[in-house]
Amino acid sequence: MKHFTCVHDIGDLEVAVKEAFEVKKTPFRWDTLGKNKTMLLIFFDSSLRTRLSTQKAALNLGMNAIVLDVNQGAWKLETERGVVMDGDKPEHILEAIPVMGCYCDVIGVRSFARFESKDTDYREVLLNQFIKYSGKPVVSMEAATRHPLQSFADLITIEEYKKTARPRVVLTWAPHPRALPQAVPNSFAEWMNAAGYDFVITHPEGYELDPAFVGKATVEYDQRKAFEGADFIYAKNWAAYAGSSYGKVLSRDRAWTVDAEKMALTNNAYFMHCLPVRRNMIVTDDVIESPQSLVIPEAANRVVSAQTVIKRILSTEIAI
Ligand code: CP
């Protein structure tokens, strides 16, 4: 594997999950694979889980890890070509990226959608600049349109807990006070479709995701109907995608909050969320604290997904 930005980079999912289970069982078996290699983690946006789990994954493989918060202590970066740089940004990303590439062997990048331009967000301009100019393998730690390390961890978690070969998995929109990117739901949809599960997406009208990510999923506007018979409920907020509403909050309707009454409609479903989660907006206290809540095992599996991905990248580099 050269870069990791989406489900297509991981290849056969059954093979990948099997490998992830091996990594989980024996995390230190490959602790010399990354000897004298450096993982650089670049954060343009905040993080708790991704920051810690990706560092831990690199350390388990014997790598060094360096973390840079671009907005805290680094020079402010200009991203557009052709700009006369007489403002408050003293460095251009087109020098900064290759310089970062000089200091490491693998680069992880986190940068959310900016909601200034759907075209810029959905062309993944920043992530692709890292791929083009760093000269190093790039791991997406959540980009504008996808969060593949999260989705891989979600898949591993579902495979661990599922009771049937093809579980019914429901992605539900839930309210949030702020406009959030579509990266997590897009990516989750992409991975659930690739896994071949019975996959349903439910959201209020106006919150339709990019059809390229919805794929074969059933879209059900009635949340209660969607919950019937579900084995897994995956809650997430996202801002509108379609048309001129792109990046806007159209609803904060708490009738969409996941609560115990709705969970009772399911097949004793597990509750999942990528975290951080706004309690009693997205999900009620009793549901997230219930024995069916998988939010902590799901977060723990972020180390497993990251380590499996970095291990593959290091193995590829050694083989070249
Ligand atoms: N789920 C997730 O990516 O969490 P962080 O934003 O804290 O990294």
Side-chain angles (χ1 to χ4, degrees):
M1 187 194 301
K2 178 71 178 168
H3 304 290
F4 180 70
T5 65
C6 68
V7 70
H8 308 297
D9 295 325
I10 200 93
D12 186 297
L13 284 188
E14 267 185 46
V15 174
V17 169
K18 204 169 155 210
E19 190 176 333
F21 285 162
E22 283 300 305
V23 166
K24 185 160 182 168
K25 204 162 63 184
T26 55
F28 305 114
R29 195 160 116 203
W30 301 272
D31 64 358
T32 56
L33 190 64
K35 188 168 186 285
N36 296 332
K37 302 227 178 252
T38 299
M39 179 95 204
L40 176 57
L41 307 177
I42 312 283
F43 287 90
F44 288 84
D45 293 288
S46 304
S47 166
L48 186 154
R49 279 142 291 275
T50 306
R51 173 186 304 262
L52 297 179
S53 63
T54 314
Q55 276 188 76
K56 173 72 175 139
L59 295 174
N60 285 355
L61 292 164
M63 300 182 85
N64 304 303
I66 304 174
V67 180
L68 177 67
D69 288 296
V70 172
N71 297 322
Q72 290 172 16
W75 302 111
K76 270 194 169 178
L77 296 174
E78 178 57 62
T79 54
E80 299 295 320
R81 274 190 86 245
V83 169
V84 177
M85 289 173 58
D86 59 355
D88 66 341
K89 295 175 182 166
E91 176 144 31
H92 204 287
I93 195 119
L94 294 179
E95 284 80 55
I97 291 174
V99 167
M100 292 177 200
C102 295
Y103 303 148
C104 66
D105 300 281
V106 182
I107 301 188
V109 184
R110 160 162 288 199
S111 179
F112 297 158
R114 292 288 173 254
F115 289 148
E116 288 160 7
S117 152
K118 185 195 274 191
D119 179 60
T120 304
D121 289 342
Y122 273 70
R123 279 192 299 116
E124 291 288 8
V125 170
L126 187 70
L127 184 68
N128 285 322
Q129 282 178 322
F130 271 90
I131 289 171
K132 191 167 175 189
Y133 298 115
S134 71
K136 294 292 154 62
V138 172
V139 175
S140 166
M141 299 194 299
E142 185 170 348
T145 63
R146 293 177 173 92
H147 193 355
L149 288 176
Q150 179 66 52
S151 307
F152 188 16
D154 296 335
L155 175 69
I156 294 164
T157 309
I158 292 171
E159 285 294 308
E160 282 179 324
Y161 284 85
K162 74 180 188 183
K163 297 188 181 93
T164 56
R166 188 168 178 264
R168 183 173 172 87
V169 178
V170 177
L171 166 64
T172 181
W173 181 92
H176 192 282
R178 296 180 50 213
L180 298 187
Q182 296 103 23
V184 170
N186 281 346
S187 201
F188 186 73
E190 191 169 59
W191 287 68
M192 294 303 102
N193 278 317
Y197 298 149
D198 177 6
F199 181 46
V200 179
I201 305 176
T202 183
H203 55 72
E205 293 204 22
Y207 278 97
E208 292 76 14
L209 292 166
D210 181 348
F213 291 102
V214 173
K216 296 168 286 180
T218 303
V219 176
E220 171 57 67
Y221 292 99
D222 182 336
Q223 190 190 33
R224 286 168 193 280
K225 203 166 158 198
F227 273 43
E228 285 170 12
D231 298 303
F232 293 87
I233 297 294
Y234 194 98
K236 187 70 185 83
N237 173 269
W238 62 89
Y241 166 78
S244 59
S245 297
Y246 180 66
K248 295 203 171 109
V249 175
L250 306 179
S251 167
R252 294 187 179 87
D253 184 359
R254 284 175 55 201
W256 279 79
T257 301
V258 178
D259 60 17
E261 187 241 317
K262 284 180 211 158
M263 289 300 285
L265 300 169
T266 70
N267 183 27
N268 196 25
Y270 290 107
F271 174 80
M272 299 179 72
H273 188 280
C274 62
L275 304 181
V277 69
R278 301 252 182 171
R279 282 178 175 228
N280 304 308
M281 286 291 293
I282 300 278
V283 58
T284 55
D285 290 323
D286 53 348
V287 170
I288 198 167
E289 291 170 5
S290 75
Q292 293 306 97
S293 172
L294 296 182
V295 295
I296 306 303
E298 190 182 349
N301 279 335
R302 291 294 306 276
V303 178
V304 182
S305 65
Q307 191 173 335
T308 306
V309 165
I310 301 166
K311 172 178 158 293
R312 281 195 177 189
I313 288 173
L314 290 174
S315 303
T316 307
E317 290 292 295
I318 288 164
I320 285 169

PDB file of all heavy atoms in Angstrom, residues 97-121:
ATOM      1  N   ILE A  97       5.101  21.467   2.483  1.00  0.00           N
ATOM      2  CA  ILE A  97       4.865  20.018   2.355  1.00  0.00           C
ATOM      3  C   ILE A  97       6.150  19.256   2.027  1.00  0.00           C
ATOM      4  O   ILE A  97       6.488  18.291   2.720  1.00  0.00           O
ATOM      5  CB  ILE A  97       3.738  19.721   1.335  1.00  0.00           C
ATOM      6  CG1 ILE A  97       2.393  20.190   1.895  1.00  0.00           C
ATOM      7  CG2 ILE A  97       3.676  18.229   1.009  1.00  0.00           C
ATOM      8  CD1 ILE A  97       1.227  20.070   0.917  1.00  0.00           C
ATOM      9  N   PRO A  98       6.910  19.658   0.983  1.00  0.00           N
ATOM     10  CA  PRO A  98       8.152  18.903   0.743  1.00  0.00           C
ATOM     11  C   PRO A  98       9.138  18.984   1.898  1.00  0.00           C
ATOM     12  O   PRO A  98       9.880  18.037   2.135  1.00  0.00           O
ATOM     13  CB  PRO A  98       8.731  19.534  -0.532  1.00  0.00           C
ATOM     14  CG  PRO A  98       7.856  20.665  -0.900  1.00  0.00           C
ATOM     15  CD  PRO A  98       6.620  20.616  -0.089  1.00  0.00           C
ATOM     16  N   VAL A  99       9.149  20.108   2.629  1.00  0.00           N
ATOM     17  CA  VAL A  99      10.029  20.203   3.804  1.00  0.00           C
ATOM     18  C   VAL A  99       9.603  19.162   4.844  1.00  0.00           C
ATOM     19  O   VAL A  99      10.430  18.419   5.380  1.00  0.00           O
ATOM     20  CB  VAL A  99      10.005  21.631   4.392  1.00  0.00           C
ATOM     21  CG1 VAL A  99      10.649  21.665   5.774  1.00  0.00           C
ATOM     22  CG2 VAL A  99      10.705  22.603   3.454  1.00  0.00           C
ATOM     23  N   MET A 100       8.301  19.073   5.109  1.00  0.00           N
ATOM     24  CA  MET A 100       7.812  18.062   6.063  1.00  0.00           C
ATOM     25  C   MET A 100       8.228  16.663   5.607  1.00  0.00           C
ATOM     26  O   MET A 100       8.613  15.824   6.405  1.00  0.00           O
ATOM     27  CB  MET A 100       6.288  18.134   6.169  1.00  0.00           C
ATOM     28  CG  MET A 100       5.751  19.399   6.822  1.00  0.00           C
ATOM     29  SD  MET A 100       3.940  19.365   6.797  1.00  0.00           S
ATOM     30  CE  MET A 100       3.525  21.070   7.008  1.00  0.00           C
ATOM     31  N   GLY A 101       8.138  16.444   4.285  1.00  0.00           N
ATOM     32  CA  GLY A 101       8.504  15.137   3.736  1.00  0.00           C
ATOM     33  C   GLY A 101       9.962  14.778   3.991  1.00  0.00           C
ATOM     34  O   GLY A 101      10.310  13.593   4.085  1.00  0.00           O
ATOM     35  N   CYS A 102      10.830  15.818   4.123  1.00  0.00           N
ATOM     36  CA  CYS A 102      12.261  15.563   4.383  1.00  0.00           C
ATOM     37  C   CYS A 102      12.496  14.980   5.772  1.00  0.00           C
ATOM     38  O   CYS A 102      13.555  14.406   6.028  1.00  0.00           O
ATOM     39  CB  CYS A 102      13.057  16.870   4.300  1.00  0.00           C
ATOM     40  SG  CYS A 102      13.083  17.609   2.686  1.00  0.00           S
ATOM     41  N   TYR A 103      11.553  15.183   6.673  1.00  0.00           N
ATOM     42  CA  TYR A 103      11.789  14.834   8.080  1.00  0.00           C
ATOM     43  C   TYR A 103      11.143  13.521   8.498  1.00  0.00           C
ATOM     44  O   TYR A 103      11.085  13.214   9.687  1.00  0.00           O
ATOM     45  CB  TYR A 103      11.244  15.949   8.994  1.00  0.00           C
ATOM     46  CG  TYR A 103      11.818  17.324   8.722  1.00  0.00           C
ATOM     47  CD1 TYR A 103      11.045  18.469   8.915  1.00  0.00           C
ATOM     48  CD2 TYR A 103      13.135  17.488   8.289  1.00  0.00           C
ATOM     49  CE1 TYR A 103      11.560  19.732   8.673  1.00  0.00           C
ATOM     50  CE2 TYR A 103      13.648  18.747   8.042  1.00  0.00           C
ATOM     51  CZ  TYR A 103      12.865  19.865   8.234  1.00  0.00           C
ATOM     52  OH  TYR A 103      13.368  21.114   7.993  1.00  0.00           O
ATOM     53  N   CYS A 104      10.585  12.765   7.571  1.00  0.00           N
ATOM     54  CA  CYS A 104       9.837  11.570   7.984  1.00  0.00           C
ATOM     55  C   CYS A 104       9.799  10.516   6.883  1.00  0.00           C
ATOM     56  O   CYS A 104      10.270  10.761   5.763  1.00  0.00           O
ATOM     57  CB  CYS A 104       8.406  11.967   8.356  1.00  0.00           C
ATOM     58  SG  CYS A 104       7.491  12.552   6.930  1.00  0.00           S
ATOM     59  N   ASP A 105       9.237   9.380   7.235  1.00  0.00           N
ATOM     60  CA  ASP A 105       9.084   8.281   6.269  1.00  0.00           C
ATOM     61  C   ASP A 105       7.626   8.070   5.873  1.00  0.00           C
ATOM     62  O   ASP A 105       7.337   7.565   4.790  1.00  0.00           O
ATOM     63  CB  ASP A 105       9.643   6.992   6.885  1.00  0.00           C
ATOM     64  CG  ASP A 105      11.108   7.154   7.221  1.00  0.00           C
ATOM     65  OD1 ASP A 105      11.940   7.064   6.304  1.00  0.00           O
ATOM     66  OD2 ASP A 105      11.430   7.429   8.408  1.00  0.00           O
ATOM     67  N   VAL A 106       6.702   8.407   6.783  1.00  0.00           N
ATOM     68  CA  VAL A 106       5.262   8.305   6.502  1.00  0.00           C
ATOM     69  C   VAL A 106       4.612   9.562   7.095  1.00  0.00           C
ATOM     70  O   VAL A 106       4.989  10.005   8.179  1.00  0.00           O
ATOM     71  CB  VAL A 106       4.633   7.044   7.153  1.00  0.00           C
ATOM     72  CG1 VAL A 106       3.145   6.934   6.794  1.00  0.00           C
ATOM     73  CG2 VAL A 106       5.374   5.768   6.747  1.00  0.00           C
ATOM     74  N   ILE A 107       3.635  10.119   6.372  1.00  0.00           N
ATOM     75  CA  ILE A 107       2.940  11.336   6.861  1.00  0.00           C
ATOM     76  C   ILE A 107       1.456  11.043   7.053  1.00  0.00           C
ATOM     77  O   ILE A 107       0.798  10.518   6.151  1.00  0.00           O
ATOM     78  CB  ILE A 107       3.049  12.507   5.861  1.00  0.00           C
ATOM     79  CG1 ILE A 107       4.508  12.868   5.604  1.00  0.00           C
ATOM     80  CG2 ILE A 107       2.305  13.732   6.378  1.00  0.00           C
ATOM     81  CD1 ILE A 107       4.682  14.141   4.777  1.00  0.00           C
ATOM     82  N   GLY A 108       0.939  11.396   8.222  1.00  0.00           N
ATOM     83  CA  GLY A 108      -0.507  11.392   8.453  1.00  0.00           C
ATOM     84  C   GLY A 108      -1.004  12.828   8.414  1.00  0.00           C
ATOM     85  O   GLY A 108      -0.341  13.726   8.951  1.00  0.00           O
ATOM     86  N   VAL A 109      -2.151  13.054   7.791  1.00  0.00           N
ATOM     87  CA  VAL A 109      -2.688  14.421   7.664  1.00  0.00           C
ATOM     88  C   VAL A 109      -4.142  14.460   8.096  1.00  0.00           C
ATOM     89  O   VAL A 109      -4.945  13.628   7.652  1.00  0.00           O
ATOM     90  CB  VAL A 109      -2.627  14.935   6.200  1.00  0.00           C
ATOM     91  CG1 VAL A 109      -3.087  16.387   6.122  1.00  0.00           C
ATOM     92  CG2 VAL A 109      -1.238  14.786   5.631  1.00  0.00           C
ATOM     93  N   ARG A 110      -4.479  15.415   8.947  1.00  0.00           N
ATOM     94  CA  ARG A 110      -5.892  15.690   9.275  1.00  0.00           C
ATOM     95  C   ARG A 110      -6.249  17.098   8.843  1.00  0.00           C
ATOM     96  O   ARG A 110      -5.630  18.075   9.269  1.00  0.00           O
ATOM     97  CB  ARG A 110      -6.153  15.544  10.768  1.00  0.00           C
ATOM     98  CG  ARG A 110      -7.438  16.280  11.168  1.00  0.00           C
ATOM     99  CD  ARG A 110      -8.000  15.867  12.477  1.00  0.00           C
ATOM    100  NE  ARG A 110      -8.585  14.543  12.387  1.00  0.00           N
ATOM    101  CZ  ARG A 110      -9.468  14.069  13.269  1.00  0.00           C
ATOM    102  NH1 ARG A 110      -9.862  14.806  14.269  1.00  0.00           N
ATOM    103  NH2 ARG A 110      -9.958  12.859  13.134  1.00  0.00           N
ATOM    104  N   SER A 111      -7.256  17.197   8.007  1.00  0.00           N
ATOM    105  CA  SER A 111      -7.768  18.507   7.604  1.00  0.00           C
ATOM    106  C   SER A 111      -9.225  18.365   7.182  1.00  0.00           C
ATOM    107  O   SER A 111      -9.534  17.636   6.243  1.00  0.00           O
ATOM    108  CB  SER A 111      -6.946  19.063   6.442  1.00  0.00           C
ATOM    109  OG  SER A 111      -7.472  20.299   6.051  1.00  0.00           O
ATOM    110  N   PHE A 112     -10.105  19.026   7.904  1.00  0.00           N
ATOM    111  CA  PHE A 112     -11.542  18.915   7.641  1.00  0.00           C
ATOM    112  C   PHE A 112     -11.955  19.724   6.408  1.00  0.00           C
ATOM    113  O   PHE A 112     -11.221  20.619   5.963  1.00  0.00           O
ATOM    114  CB  PHE A 112     -12.351  19.463   8.818  1.00  0.00           C
ATOM    115  CG  PHE A 112     -12.165  18.713  10.111  1.00  0.00           C
ATOM    116  CD1 PHE A 112     -12.454  19.341  11.326  1.00  0.00           C
ATOM    117  CD2 PHE A 112     -11.738  17.393  10.146  1.00  0.00           C
ATOM    118  CE1 PHE A 112     -12.318  18.665  12.534  1.00  0.00           C
ATOM    119  CE2 PHE A 112     -11.594  16.708  11.343  1.00  0.00           C
ATOM    120  CZ  PHE A 112     -11.880  17.351  12.538  1.00  0.00           C
ATOM    121  N   ALA A 113     -13.173  19.451   5.942  1.00  0.00           N
ATOM    122  CA  ALA A 113     -13.816  20.308   4.935  1.00  0.00           C
ATOM    123  C   ALA A 113     -13.933  21.718   5.501  1.00  0.00           C
ATOM    124  O   ALA A 113     -14.207  21.899   6.682  1.00  0.00           O
ATOM    125  CB  ALA A 113     -15.202  19.762   4.601  1.00  0.00           C
ATOM    126  N   ARG A 114     -13.707  22.703   4.622  1.00  0.00           N
ATOM    127  CA  ARG A 114     -13.788  24.101   5.074  1.00  0.00           C
ATOM    128  C   ARG A 114     -15.166  24.707   4.795  1.00  0.00           C
ATOM    129  O   ARG A 114     -15.483  25.785   5.272  1.00  0.00           O
ATOM    130  CB  ARG A 114     -12.705  24.922   4.369  1.00  0.00           C
ATOM    131  CG  ARG A 114     -11.291  24.537   4.806  1.00  0.00           C
ATOM    132  CD  ARG A 114     -10.997  25.024   6.238  1.00  0.00           C
ATOM    133  NE  ARG A 114      -9.722  24.525   6.723  1.00  0.00           N
ATOM    134  CZ  ARG A 114      -9.587  23.547   7.623  1.00  0.00           C
ATOM    135  NH1 ARG A 114     -10.647  22.951   8.123  1.00  0.00           N
ATOM    136  NH2 ARG A 114      -8.406  23.166   8.033  1.00  0.00           N
ATOM    137  N   PHE A 115     -15.973  24.048   3.945  1.00  0.00           N
ATOM    138  CA  PHE A 115     -17.310  24.538   3.578  1.00  0.00           C
ATOM    139  C   PHE A 115     -17.275  25.884   2.865  1.00  0.00           C
ATOM    140  O   PHE A 115     -18.263  26.607   2.830  1.00  0.00           O
ATOM    141  CB  PHE A 115     -18.231  24.639   4.798  1.00  0.00           C
ATOM    142  CG  PHE A 115     -18.672  23.309   5.370  1.00  0.00           C
ATOM    143  CD1 PHE A 115     -18.901  23.169   6.730  1.00  0.00           C
ATOM    144  CD2 PHE A 115     -18.871  22.213   4.554  1.00  0.00           C
ATOM    145  CE1 PHE A 115     -19.318  21.955   7.270  1.00  0.00           C
ATOM    146  CE2 PHE A 115     -19.284  20.993   5.078  1.00  0.00           C
ATOM    147  CZ  PHE A 115     -19.500  20.871   6.435  1.00  0.00           C
ATOM    148  N   GLU A 116     -16.095  26.263   2.326  1.00  0.00           N
ATOM    149  CA  GLU A 116     -16.026  27.506   1.538  1.00  0.00           C
ATOM    150  C   GLU A 116     -16.367  27.212   0.087  1.00  0.00           C
ATOM    151  O   GLU A 116     -16.936  28.048  -0.603  1.00  0.00           O
ATOM    152  CB  GLU A 116     -14.619  28.120   1.655  1.00  0.00           C
ATOM    153  CG  GLU A 116     -14.359  28.721   3.028  1.00  0.00           C
ATOM    154  CD  GLU A 116     -12.879  28.888   3.340  1.00  0.00           C
ATOM    155  OE1 GLU A 116     -12.039  28.669   2.442  1.00  0.00           O
ATOM    156  OE2 GLU A 116     -12.577  29.226   4.499  1.00  0.00           O
ATOM    157  N   SER A 117     -15.979  26.008  -0.367  1.00  0.00           N
ATOM    158  CA  SER A 117     -16.234  25.588  -1.742  1.00  0.00           C
ATOM    159  C   SER A 117     -16.398  24.072  -1.759  1.00  0.00           C
ATOM    160  O   SER A 117     -15.475  23.338  -1.392  1.00  0.00           O
ATOM    161  CB  SER A 117     -15.057  26.011  -2.633  1.00  0.00           C
ATOM    162  OG  SER A 117     -14.932  25.142  -3.733  1.00  0.00           O
ATOM    163  N   LYS A 118     -17.581  23.622  -2.220  1.00  0.00           N
ATOM    164  CA  LYS A 118     -17.812  22.173  -2.299  1.00  0.00           C
ATOM    165  C   LYS A 118     -16.798  21.538  -3.244  1.00  0.00           C
ATOM    166  O   LYS A 118     -16.276  20.452  -2.982  1.00  0.00           O
ATOM    167  CB  LYS A 118     -19.235  21.907  -2.795  1.00  0.00           C
ATOM    168  CG  LYS A 118     -19.592  20.428  -2.801  1.00  0.00           C
ATOM    169  CD  LYS A 118     -20.826  20.128  -3.622  1.00  0.00           C
ATOM    170  CE  LYS A 118     -22.088  20.283  -2.834  1.00  0.00           C
ATOM    171  NZ  LYS A 118     -23.271  19.746  -3.564  1.00  0.00           N
ATOM    172  N   ASP A 119     -16.484  22.252  -4.319  1.00  0.00           N
ATOM    173  CA  ASP A 119     -15.556  21.719  -5.313  1.00  0.00           C
ATOM    174  C   ASP A 119     -14.173  21.497  -4.690  1.00  0.00           C
ATOM    175  O   ASP A 119     -13.575  20.432  -4.854  1.00  0.00           O
ATOM    176  CB  ASP A 119     -15.477  22.700  -6.491  1.00  0.00           C
ATOM    177  CG  ASP A 119     -14.518  22.223  -7.560  1.00  0.00           C
ATOM    178  OD1 ASP A 119     -14.757  21.133  -8.096  1.00  0.00           O
ATOM    179  OD2 ASP A 119     -13.518  22.913  -7.820  1.00  0.00           O
ATOM    180  N   THR A 120     -13.677  22.488  -3.947  1.00  0.00           N
ATOM    181  CA  THR A 120     -12.360  22.351  -3.304  1.00  0.00           C
ATOM    182  C   THR A 120     -12.384  21.220  -2.287  1.00  0.00           C
ATOM    183  O   THR A 120     -11.471  20.388  -2.235  1.00  0.00           O
ATOM    184  CB  THR A 120     -11.963  23.675  -2.608  1.00  0.00           C
ATOM    185  OG1 THR A 120     -12.005  24.708  -3.580  1.00  0.00           O
ATOM    186  CG2 THR A 120     -10.584  23.598  -1.985  1.00  0.00           C
ATOM    187  N   ASP A 121     -13.452  21.164  -1.484  1.00  0.00           N
ATOM    188  CA  ASP A 121     -13.554  20.098  -0.479  1.00  0.00           C
ATOM    189  C   ASP A 121     -13.591  18.732  -1.151  1.00  0.00           C
ATOM    190  O   ASP A 121     -12.827  17.831  -0.790  1.00  0.00           O
ATOM    191  CB  ASP A 121     -14.824  20.274   0.371  1.00  0.00           C
ATOM    192  CG  ASP A 121     -14.739  21.462   1.328  1.00  0.00           C
ATOM    193  OD1 ASP A 121     -13.614  21.937   1.581  1.00  0.00           O
ATOM    194  OD2 ASP A 121     -15.805  21.914   1.798  1.00  0.00           O
TER     195      ASP A 121
END
